Every structure is written in C-alpha cells, then in structure tokens.
Amino acid sequence: MTALPQERRVVTAIPGPKSQELQARRTAAVARGVGSTLPVFVTRAGGGVVEDVDGNSLIDFGSGIAVTSVGASAEAVVRRASAQLADFTHTCFMVTPYEGYVAVAEALAELTPGDHAKKSALFNSGAEAVENAVKIARAYTGRQAVIAFDHGYHGRTNLTMALTAKNMPYKHGFGPFAPEVYRVPVAYGYRWPTGPENAGPEAAAQAIDQITKQVGAENVAAIVIEPVLGEGGFIEPARGFLPALRQYAADHGIVFVADEIQSGFCRTGQWFACEDEGIVPDLITTAKGIAGGLPLAAVTGRAEIMDAAHAGGLGGTYGGNPVACAAALGAIETMRELDLNARARHIEAVMKPRLAAMAEKFDVIGDVRGRGAMIAIELVADRDTKEPDPRAAAALAAACHRAGLLVLTCGTYGNVLRFLPPLVIGEDLLNEGLDIIEQALAGL
Ligand SMILES: Cc1ncc(COP(=O)(O)O)c(C=O)c1O
C-alpha cells in the first residue's frame, strides 16, 4: 500500500457524491441514534489526515475523539496487531490467558501515577471501565454512594449515564438511572460566579459540604472525576480543586477514581492529566488512546483495592482481547519512542498563542483553554454575560468541515470547539488547520 500523503486535499463538496450515496445506505440500515459529526466515509487514515471515498483528504483535529494519538495506522500498532491476528484472535482471558494482557497490566502499573503496588483489569470500552471501577470501589469499601460532578461525562451504559451530567443527547428518555449517584459542583473557572481565581477553593468547599451534608462521607464508595473534563467542555478544574477532593477522599476512606479515558496517554503532555497537580488516584480508568484505535479499556489501581472484588467478579468475554492488547503495546512503544508527551506540549505551544491571538480579534471567543493536544475555544454571544453561543460553534465547525478540517464540538452548552489532533500530526498541517479556523472565524 502506498504511504498516505500528509496533505489537505479537497476535490469535491464535503461530503462528496460517493459519501452521500453511502450515507443514504447508512440512513436506511443504521439506527438514527448513532450519529456522525461529519458523514464522509473513510478509506484510509493516518498521521494527521483522514482520506475519504471521494478522494478528499481532511486534516484531522479529532483523532476519532481522542483515540488515535499515535495516528490511525501507526507502524508499531499495525505490526504488533497484525502478528497477533495471525497467531490467534481470541481465547478469552477468563478461559485460557495469554502474555499480552499481562504485559499491558504491567505497563499500566509502570506508567500510572504512584509507586505503590498496582493491579489492572482490562475491558472493551471506557464506560465498561468506569462501571467496573465503581464495582471495585463498592466491593472494597462496603459502601454504595458514588459522587460525580457537574459537566462530567462517563459513558452511555446505565450507571455511566447516571454519572454523566448532560441530559441531551446522552440521557434523555433513557431512564430510570442507576441509584446512589450524587452530583456536586466542579471548579469551572471561566463560569465561576466569583471569578476563576476563587473557583478552586470555593467549588471544593461547596462540593465537600454537599457530600458531607447530603450523602455522608461514611456512605461514599467513590469520587469519580475527569482531571480535565472532556465532553463537558474541556474544563480544567481550577487549581486546588482536585487536591482538595483527593485529600477529602483520603481522610474518609473514599476511593478516588480519576477517569482519564479522554485525558490520558500523553494527550495533555503528561502520561496522565492528574499528574499536573501531583494527584495520585486510588483507581484510574483508561481507554481511547491506550490502544491506537482498537477497543481496549482498563481499571488500574492500588493492589489491595483491585483485589477486593472476589475471583470471577470481574471480566467479560472480550475484555483484554489479544489483538487489542498487542495494539496497546504498539501504541505505548510509539508514545515512548517518539516522546509524544513532548509532542503534545509542542502542539499546545503552537496552538494556544495562535488561538489567543484570534481571541483578540474575534469577540465570539470567550475563553481559550486546555493542555497539550486537548485544546478548546468556548464561544459566547456576549463576552460580559458569557451567554453561550452554540450556533456559532456549529457554524464554525461546519465551515471548517467544508474547508477540509475535521473538528469536534462539545460542552454542556454545546458552545465549545475542541481540538484533539493526533500527537504525530505534522507542523504544517497543524498550522494549516489553525489558518482554516481563523478564516472560518472571519466568515462567521
Ligand atoms: C472521560 C470519559 N469517560 C468515559 C467515556 C466513555 O468511553 P467509551 O465511549 O469508550 O465507552 C468517555 C468517552 O468519551 C470519556 O471521555
């Protein structure tokens, strides 16, 4: 196969005629509940581009929602997964084990924060990992309550819908939800009423007060939080918030779970985003970037907590599939060899000043934030009232798509444009993508 040219190429309308034909077939055959941001049908992807059936090549600022950090066809992922495919596709680790699963658990013990003894269990999706983290925390503490946060997102299964804050589209009409989930405030600096400098301590005090008064610390099994909130709007909790919650958990025997499914594996310029404030979680959930695009997820944590679940209590037919484990080992090899943490920090150093300069020119940008290659702009109709502008976000995304740049939106108010380029994207493509965003802003 020829190498995938690392260039933007727009040769038809986007989506083009072949994509539109496929979209008609898709609409007839696929449930409408499964959406697509941009219905171009993909033939190849890798590096910093996604190529479609019409011959267009889009710059990728989405990475399949923060998954293909090493690219969508990374050499080590393809090599290791292909070799594994030829050897065997599946045995079920719960029936007859294999080395790849153990090697992934060893790598997770090494890479995740803290030098305590750690163990892991592997699953298929992020939501499944979060569900299992809660199972493990309940087994360990003998308690039931779980604390989640405003703007949090943890998945689409029943328990993870309950943990997720936003109704539409994630929860609407799908209840009743799992019980014993309690939601408390998060330190959303940009929107904190008394200003970002007060958000960390004030939000922590409010959250802790609510947990103490409304739930009772002695009833809480787990506090589950994203160290950078993803779907909720790329919200970095203001400084001091995470350490205060982490300390509260430690003081009260509560299992502190960092959901690093979107923020983990070099995305923010560190192996895990919680390292930024020196947080050592009891359990950490990972997925997405872990395996270069193959479905794999994990719960990793203190050995004594992980071992609280009885033998046979955790698992699943496909959890830790051997091909996905081989891919994960290839992705981790790539992250180490190419120093993708440094690459993510470089992407931030390129993107943030340019986006800040755009914010000087365009009032619609209320905030520029994020770390590493997890960067966002929040769009507002009025900078003083900070009224969210989801229509501007949709229009901007559509303009970028037409120009051949794949971007995603997010946020509780739908007004955040988020940028998640593969960490291996070339500098030219990165700058060209930023040029397109600037042109799209000018055309709003
Ligand atoms: C922080 C976080 N947790 C959990 C999930 C759910 O992962 P999955 O879609 O693999 O079930 C996501 C997915 O976006 C996520 O960002």
Side-chain angles (χ1 to χ4, degrees):
M1 195 194 293
T2 54
L4 189 57
Q6 293 296 301
E7 63 179 19
R8 178 174 68 105
R9 198 172 57 247
V10 178
V11 295
T12 68
I14 291 181
K18 289 185 181 154
S19 277
Q20 288 182 30
E21 266 176 50
L22 284 164
Q23 177 66 4
R25 275 174 56 198
R26 172 227 166 103
T27 304
V30 178
R32 74 176 177 140
V34 186
S36 292
T37 302
L38 176 59
V40 299
F41 282 73
V42 176
T43 47
R44 293 196 297 172
V49 297
V50 171
E51 216 176 61
D52 76 9
V53 284
D54 291 290
N56 299 300
S57 173
L58 310 183
I59 300 174
D60 183 9
F61 273 15
S63 296
I65 321 187
V67 171
T68 51
S69 300
V70 296
S73 46
E75 186 277 331
V77 172
V78 174
R79 171 173 36 85
R80 287 186 184 241
S82 305
Q84 180 59 49
L85 263 173
D87 285 345
F88 63 96
T89 55
H90 174 83
T91 63
C92 187
F93 192 76
M94 300 186 306
V95 178
T96 48
Y98 38 87
E99 187 181 347
Y101 189 119
V102 179
V104 170
E106 288 168 348
L108 283 163
E110 191 192 327
L111 295 172
T112 52
D115 48 17
H116 48 276
K118 292 176 210 151
K119 292 193 178 185
S120 289
L122 304 186
F123 304 98
N124 303 294
S125 70
E128 210 188 335
V130 174
E131 291 255 354
N132 278 279
V134 171
K135 278 168 65 173
I136 293 163
R138 285 176 170 159
Y140 178 70
T141 57
R143 307 171 182 176
Q144 294 184 354
V146 182
I147 305 298
F149 292 83
D150 286 342
H151 310 288
Y153 179 85
H154 300 284
R156 294 172 182 269
T157 57
N158 189 265
L159 174 58
T160 58
M161 279 194 292
L163 292 169
T164 290
K166 189 174 174 178
N167 174 52
M168 201 62 177
Y170 306 123
K171 305 169 74 163
H172 188 75
F174 297 145
F177 303 110
E180 287 303 317
V181 171
Y182 301 89
R183 189 170 314 286
V184 297
V186 75
Y188 188 167
Y190 177 63
R191 292 193 175 275
W192 194 255
T194 56
E197 59 289 354
N198 300 316
E202 285 183 14
Q206 284 183 21
I208 287 170
D209 188 60
Q210 285 184 24
I211 299 168
T212 308
K213 303 270 170 42
Q214 297 178 19
V215 192
E218 65 279 17
N219 296 315
V220 179
I223 292 175
V224 183
I225 187 158
E226 299 156 84
V228 177
L229 286 82
E231 304 302 299
F234 279 28
I235 301 163
E236 297 169 85
R239 288 193 92 72
F241 182 79
L242 290 173
L245 268 293
R246 206 283 159 258
Q247 188 59 48
Y248 180 79
D251 292 345
H252 296 278
I254 298 167
V255 176
F256 187 87
V257 183
D259 180 349
E260 294 256 13
I261 285 163
Q262 188 154 166
S263 57
F265 280 102
C266 308
R267 181 50 56 188
T268 64
Q270 293 176 296
W271 281 100
F272 296 96
C274 62
E275 291 169 42
D276 196 53
E277 284 191 278
I279 305 287
V280 177
D282 297 312
L283 299 181
I284 184 163
T285 54
T286 52
K288 290 190 182 277
I290 191 176
L294 274 85
L296 189 73
V299 183
T300 301
R302 293 183 190 281
E304 68 276 17
I305 300 179
M306 290 300 296
D307 277 342
H310 52 271
L314 304 177
T317 304
Y318 296 116
N321 168 272
V323 183
C325 286
L329 295 172
I332 293 167
E333 177 188 321
T334 308
M335 290 173 198
R336 284 191 159 122
E337 279 185 0
L338 300 184
D339 191 0
L340 291 189
N341 279 317
R343 273 299 300 166
R345 291 193 295 271
H346 180 70
I347 289 170
E348 175 181 344
V350 172
M351 292 193 87
K352 268 219 167 141
R354 284 208 55 191
L355 292 168
M358 291 179 214
E360 298 278 312
K361 273 170 60 182
F362 303 106
D363 283 351
V364 72
I365 301 181
D367 195 24
V368 177
R369 59 176 178 252
R371 298 203 295 271
M374 189 171 182
I375 305 283
I377 52 178
E378 175 157 359
L379 305 181
V380 290
D382 178 327
R383 275 197 176 169
D384 293 328
T385 63
K386 298 182 180 171
E387 185 194 332
D389 195 343
R391 284 209 313 211
L396 207 52
C400 290
H401 296 164
R402 282 194 298 274
L405 172 68
L406 181 48
V407 292
L408 309 174
T409 58
C410 68
T412 297
Y413 313 107
N415 65 327
V416 176
L417 212 63
R418 57 172 154 172
F419 311 120
L420 291 159
L423 306 179
V424 295
I425 193 170
E427 188 111 357
D428 290 355
L429 287 179
L430 192 62
N431 277 306
E432 199 177 339
L434 287 160
D435 294 342
I436 291 171
I437 293 165
E438 185 156 7
Q439 285 152 18
L441 280 160
L444 267 186

